[in-house]
Amino acid sequence: MKEIILIKDGEIVLKGLNRRQFEDVLKKNIRIALHELGKFEITSAQSTITVKPLSEDIDLDEACDRVGRVFGIVSYSRAALCEEKSMESVLATAPVYLEKQLRKAKTFKVEAKRSDKKFPLKSPEISRELGGVLLSKFPHLRVDVHHPDVTVTVEIRDYAAYVRADAIRGAGGIPVGTGGKAAVLISGGIDSPVAAYMMAKRGLKLTAIHFASPPYTSQRAEEKVVRLLQKVSRYATPMTMYTVPFTEIQEKLRDDCPEELFTIIMRRLMMQMAERIAKDNGCAALITGESLGQVASQTIGALGCTDEATDMVVFRPLIGMDKQEIIDISYKIDTYETSIEPYEDCCTVFTPKHPRTKPILKFVKAAQEQAGFEPLIEKALQNLKVTQIYPE
Ligand code: ATP
Ligand code: MG
């Protein structure tokens, strides 16, 4: 029996005129997600995208999992392609294809969607006929039109007939790449991978920036960030990661700035350097994993001082979330276990004992200017390490 995946796209429907372009990006992203699994034919018609595997040996379970992580999809389902577009073929296909689900269920209903108006039977007739056949083949079943355990759907389209069970909820959101580009500041922690995921969900194509301070931070800390991004890119599509050599800048910070301002000046320097990298990569915004009040550098005053360091829009999708809410998402996207591996981050080297929670911008800027970071910033930006990230 030939199986396919039927996909309903989501918010893109709302976008009226851009619909075509959104759908093209969505199809491209589906293609990228499936590309390793084999050859597929991906077509769209009548507000459904159809993914047809072109060889028998393709792992459709894995294909469905991957489709489930593509943003812009509201729901998807596996369906059997009927051999012919005839009622006989529908009646022959449904009981065989859906046998497992129907054996487990107590109640069911049949829903027919008939977009080919030339099909000889009307929708209620299709439902009635198939319902009757299923009741005779599975005598334990009852019909329940309000709360059925399984809804058997028959789709009669212009080009084929399909039979399927319930649709599965998709990842939602907007296709990655249709909302522009942004650079995410990524650490090895719990928060920033979640922030990256959330903004990719709103259609942004990501570039990742990571600050590393060897030998204070280890190679393994950087590898951990790569592994986190590989997880994130299962949703966010492949991306480029820039690793910024941050050691000399942090040493200067330690030597030439007041201790209580270490963190806030460091955050400003990160933003300034990230802005440069972002602009070079055509990104129009920065993304961080900051959450109001979580640590000393994330008070309203500290965030104000951080923000002032860049002209760019800064997205902080976690700003109003509790840690547990963030952790819940990190479980869902499977980054949690990696995030909690105990490697140091550059933020945790040279941390002041008493960081200012209400820094005064004037003093922060003066201290930063007096230390004079420009030559070191230029040097670091000329020595970026570039890593290509692919989903894993
Ligand atoms: P996370 O869990 O994302 O590490 P956090 O709660 O530890 O966040 P901070 O360490 O204060 O908070 O960092 C706040 C934000 O700054 C991070 O979410 C991330 O966006 C950015 N950031 C922190 N460290 C780095 C780093 N080494 N490289 C790039 N960005 C960083
Ligand atoms: Mg951190």
Side-chain angles (χ1 to χ4, degrees):
M1 194 170 300
K2 280 215 171 77
E3 263 189 295
I4 51 145
I5 307 173
L6 293 173
I7 294 171
K8 291 261 177 248
D9 47 30
E11 280 185 54
I12 65 173
V13 177
L14 304 173
K15 304 281 173 177
L17 283 179
N18 289 332
R19 154 126 219 174
R20 183 57 198 282
Q21 188 210 336
F22 275 66
E23 209 165 72
D24 285 347
V25 176
L26 179 55
K27 279 197 286 190
K28 190 184 89 194
N29 291 348
I30 294 170
R31 197 171 307 249
I32 292 171
L34 298 181
H35 129 100
E36 274 179 356
L37 302 180
K39 284 209 158 45
F40 295 84
E41 181 188 271
I42 301 174
T43 51
S44 54
Q46 299 172 312
S47 72
T48 302
I49 294 174
T50 305
V51 176
K52 196 191 274 180
L54 293 179
S55 62
E56 301 276 318
D57 57 346
I58 283 178
D59 180 350
L60 218 57
D61 288 336
E62 177 64 22
C64 282
D65 283 350
R66 291 180 182 216
V67 163
R69 291 190 291 262
V70 176
F71 291 132
I73 294 175
V74 160
S75 68
Y76 61 96
S77 43
R78 267 170 101 137
L81 179 62
C82 298
E83 248 165 53
E84 302 160 13
K85 210 171 80 178
S86 68
M87 197 59 212
E88 291 70 42
S89 189
V90 168
L91 296 179
T93 306
V96 179
Y97 182 57
L98 300 173
E99 179 174 356
K100 241 197 191 146
Q101 278 117 309
L102 292 170
R103 286 217 180 283
K104 268 194 271 166
K106 291 198 176 75
T107 58
F108 82 109
K109 75 169 173 182
V110 180
E111 232 174 58
K113 296 184 177 169
R114 169 176 167 270
S115 48
D116 171 12
K117 300 299 172 204
K118 289 198 222 93
F119 195 73
L121 280 78
K122 297 215 165 54
S123 297
E125 294 163 346
I126 299 171
S127 300
R128 211 175 314 126
E129 275 210 32
L130 179 56
V133 167
L134 293 178
L135 281 171
S136 67
K137 294 232 158 122
F138 304 94
H140 72 285
L141 282 177
R142 267 189 313 109
V143 173
D144 180 344
V145 291
H146 300 295
H147 305 287
D149 295 337
V150 176
T151 301
V152 175
T153 302
V154 181
E155 302 206 19
I156 310 288
R157 294 173 174 262
D158 287 346
Y159 45 91
Y162 304 112
V163 172
R164 64 175 175 83
D166 300 304
I168 301 157
R169 189 158 151 197
I174 307 175
V176 169
T178 56
K181 287 175 161 186
V184 59
L185 284 81
I186 188 103
S187 69
I190 295 170
D191 303 333
S192 44
V194 172
Y197 158 84
M198 287 176 72
M199 296 319 296
K201 187 172 183 187
R202 298 319 295 164
L204 296 179
K205 174 85 187 159
L206 304 181
T207 294
I209 301 173
H210 175 65
F211 294 83
S213 290
Y216 306 103
T217 60
S218 64
Q219 182 61 30
R220 295 181 71 181
E222 199 183 318
E223 282 160 13
K224 171 185 171 183
V225 175
V226 170
R227 280 185 283 123
L228 282 171
L229 286 173
Q230 286 170 337
K231 297 266 189 196
V232 170
S233 70
R234 302 200 305 169
Y235 296 89
T237 74
M239 65 180 93
T240 304
M241 167 185 171
Y242 292 92
T243 306
V244 184
F246 206 42
T247 314
E248 288 183 333
I249 292 175
Q250 279 202 292
E251 284 172 345
K252 184 171 186 58
L253 195 61
R254 177 194 61 192
D255 296 339
D256 297 350
C257 291
E259 185 184 327
E260 69 276 13
L261 299 183
F262 279 1
T263 312
I264 193 68
I265 295 176
M266 184 190 68
R267 313 252 351 119
R268 286 173 57 86
L269 291 165
M270 281 185 172
M271 294 309 245
Q272 282 165 355
M273 298 172 79
E275 174 178 316
R276 293 270 300 273
I277 299 166
K279 285 186 173 157
D280 284 348
N281 282 277
C283 297
L286 299 176
I287 300 165
T288 75
E290 288 159 313
S291 166
L292 189 64
Q294 199 187 79
V295 288
S297 61
Q298 296 174 23
T299 61
I300 197 166
L303 289 172
C305 282
T306 307
D307 241 13
E308 200 272 345
T310 170
D311 296 331
M312 270 191 159
V313 176
V314 181
F315 291 132
R316 297 182 170 92
L318 314 185
I319 198 71
M321 292 171 75
D322 292 345
K323 195 72 188 188
Q324 190 56 49
E325 292 172 312
I326 300 168
I327 288 174
D328 290 347
I329 299 179
S330 79
Y331 269 118
K332 187 176 105 176
I333 63 172
D334 196 29
T335 51
Y336 182 77
E337 295 298 338
T338 310
S339 286
I340 59 170
E341 289 174 15
Y343 298 113
E344 59 301 309
D345 182 56
C346 69
C347 288
T348 53
V349 299
F350 315 142
T351 43
K353 278 190 216 71
H354 303 290
R356 276 279 149 82
T357 52
K358 291 182 187 163
I360 295 167
L361 182 60
K362 197 170 60 177
F363 297 136
V364 173
K365 280 173 85 166
Q368 185 180 341
E369 261 157 45
Q370 205 186 356
F373 287 97
E374 278 65 29
L376 289 181
I377 289 179
E378 294 307 322
K379 186 176 166 196
L381 290 175
Q382 272 160 24
N383 288 290
L384 299 175
K385 183 173 145 200
V386 185
T387 311
Q388 288 307 328
I389 305 286
Y390 297 99
E392 200 148 278

